[in-house]
Amino acid sequence: IVDLFKEHRTNILLKRDQSIPNFLGNMSEPYGNVGVVDNKGIDTSLEYNKKIGKDWIISVRGNLTYNKDQWVNSDQPEQLYSWMNKRGYNLNGIYGFVDKGLFTQDEIDQINVWEALPEADKATNQRPFPAQFGALQAGDIKYEDLNGDGKIDAYDVKWIGQGDVPKLIYGFGFNVQYKNFAFGMLIQGTSGAERMLSGSSIQPFKGDGGGGNLFSNIYDRWTTDNPSQDVFYPRLAYGSDKADNVNNYKPSTWWIKDVDFIRLKTMQVSYNLPSKWAGVIGLQNISIYGMGTNLLTLSSFNLWDPELNTGQGTSYPNIASMSIGLDRKSTRLNSSHGKFISY
C-alpha cells in the first residue's frame, strides 16, 4: 500500500501574539483564522506471507511514513531580515543563535585590549568580535553575527533545527516458523528529529543552587586544563543571574542534538509442543514462548532514551523487559451435555 498526500490548509486558528502589539491593552491575545500550512509526504506499508513446503512459514512486514510541513503564513509579521521569518520552515522548528565554537583565551585577550582603548580609538578600530551577553571569558560560546552590526541580539536569531517531531518514521519485522519453532522480531526507528537541551540537569549551576542531578558526562567540559572545542559543555559558572554566566545558556545550535534512533522493539521465540506431549496432561496446542521488549537502542544521543519527550532527561524512561509464558488451549468435558468444549 502506498499513499501520497499533499495538503494546503488555510484558516488555521492561531493565537495572535506576534502581530497584535501590547500597547493596545489587551488582557490576552485574541485568536484568528490566519494560519496557512502546506503538508506533503508518503505513507507506505508492506506485508508478505509465504508458505514454503510443508515446514516453513515466512511473514515479512514493514511501514514507512515521511512528512514535510512548512508555514506558508502565520501570525508573524514580515521581519526585518529574511532569516528571522518562520515562513518556509516547519511548524515545530527551533529558533536560536548559530554557534561558532568556543572563545579561546587569545580571542578574549583581543577583546580586552580593544575594550581598554580610549573611546576615540574604538571608533577607528573595529571590535575584534561582536558584543555578546555578559562578561565573556575563554570557553564561552561564540555566536554568529548574522546582520554584521557588531553585536549579538534578537536580529541574529534564525531557524536552527527541525524539532523533536521526526520527518521519517519507519518499522519492519518478520516471523519465521519451522515446524514447531517460531522466531520473530520488530524494529522501529525515526530520522530527522532534533531536540534543544536545556534545564538544570543539562545546565549545571544555572539558577540559585544548581539543583538537579548531573549526568555522567559532566567531565566532558571546557576547562583551562582542557581547552578543547570538542566538548559537550562550555565553560561552567555558578548562577544564571551572574554576568559571567548568562551567555552560554541562550538557545543555540550548541545545545541542539540529533535524537534519531533505531530500536529492537520486540523479539519473540516460541515452541509449540507436539500434541502427543500435551495430550499426556489433557491439554492441546501448548506454546511456550520467551519475549523481550526494548532490548536494544542505537542512537548517537546517549544521555537518555531519545524517544522521551524531554530536553533535560527528567522523564520516566522506557523499560526493557523480558518474559516467558505459556499459551494453551485445553479441553474439558461438559457434564451437562456430555461434550468436550475448548477454552
Side-chain angles (χ1 to χ4, degrees), residues 275-283:
S275 299
K276 61 180 180 180
W277 296 2
V280 174
I281 54 177
L283 299 176

Side-chain angles (χ1 to χ4, degrees), residues 47-50 57-61 173-177 183:
E47 185 171 351
Y48 177 77
N49 299 284
K50 179 70 173 179
I57 300 177
I58 298 176
S59 176
V60 180
R61 58 195 180 278
F174 65 87
N175 288 297
V176 177
Q177 181 176 341
F183 175 75

Side-chain angles (χ1 to χ4, degrees), residues 87 121 164 167 174 185 187 203-204 236 251 312:
R87 295 177 183 87
D121 292 338
D164 57 359
K167 285 186 175 181
F174 65 87
M185 62 193 313
I187 295 173
Q203 299 166 342
L236 301 180
Q312 61 181 5

Side-chain angles (χ1 to χ4, degrees), residues 37-64:
V37 172
D38 279 344
N39 192 42
K40 60 183 178 180
I42 183 172
D43 188 22
T44 69
S45 63
L46 168 70
E47 185 171 351
Y48 177 77
N49 299 284
K50 179 70 173 179
K51 185 174 183 180
I52 303 175
K54 63 178 182 178
D55 295 329
W56 290 89
I57 300 177
I58 298 176
S59 176
V60 180
R61 58 195 180 278
N63 66 278
L64 180 147

Side-chain angles (χ1 to χ4, degrees), residues 80-241:
L80 181 61
Y81 300 103
S82 60
W83 58 79
M84 298 173 61
N85 287 316
K86 292 186 177 181
R87 295 177 183 87
Y89 298 107
N90 65 300
L91 276 65
N92 201 42
I94 305 173
Y95 295 83
F97 298 103
V98 179
D99 84 88
K100 299 183 67 178
L102 303 177
F103 279 105
T104 65
Q105 186 59 56
D106 179 65
E107 291 171 334
I108 295 298
D109 291 341
Q110 295 178 46
I111 295 175
N112 293 336
V113 169
W114 184 88
E115 291 181 342
L117 292 175
E119 291 301 322
D121 292 338
K122 288 182 180 179
T124 58
N125 290 273
Q126 184 178 1
R127 183 184 175 93
F129 297 95
Q132 296 193 178
F133 307 97
L136 295 175
Q137 297 185 38
D140 285 351
I141 299 175
K142 179 169 44 179
Y143 300 120
E144 184 176 359
D145 183 11
L146 296 179
N147 64 350
D149 64 354
K151 59 182 178 181
I152 305 299
D153 55 21
Y155 296 118
D156 300 303
V157 171
K158 63 170 294 186
W159 183 93
I160 57 175
Q162 164 73 18
D164 57 359
V165 176
K167 285 186 175 181
L168 178 67
I169 301 174
Y170 58 90
F172 56 92
F174 65 87
N175 288 297
V176 177
Q177 181 176 341
Y178 175 70
K179 293 184 177 180
N180 290 342
F181 288 96
F183 175 75
M185 62 193 313
L186 174 64
I187 295 173
Q188 64 174 196
T190 66
S191 179
E194 297 170 316
R195 186 177 293 279
M196 173 79 73
L197 305 189
S198 63
S200 59
S201 295
I202 284 295
Q203 299 166 342
F205 312 117
K206 181 182 180 182
D208 296 333
N213 296 323
L214 301 180
F215 290 97
S216 59
N217 70 338
I218 189 64
Y219 299 103
D220 184 16
R221 67 184 190 272
W222 187 98
T223 65
T224 54
D225 296 328
N226 180 37
S228 172
Q229 294 284 327
D230 188 23
V231 290
F232 185 90
Y233 296 99
R235 180 187 63 86
L236 301 180
Y238 174 78
S240 61
D241 58 339

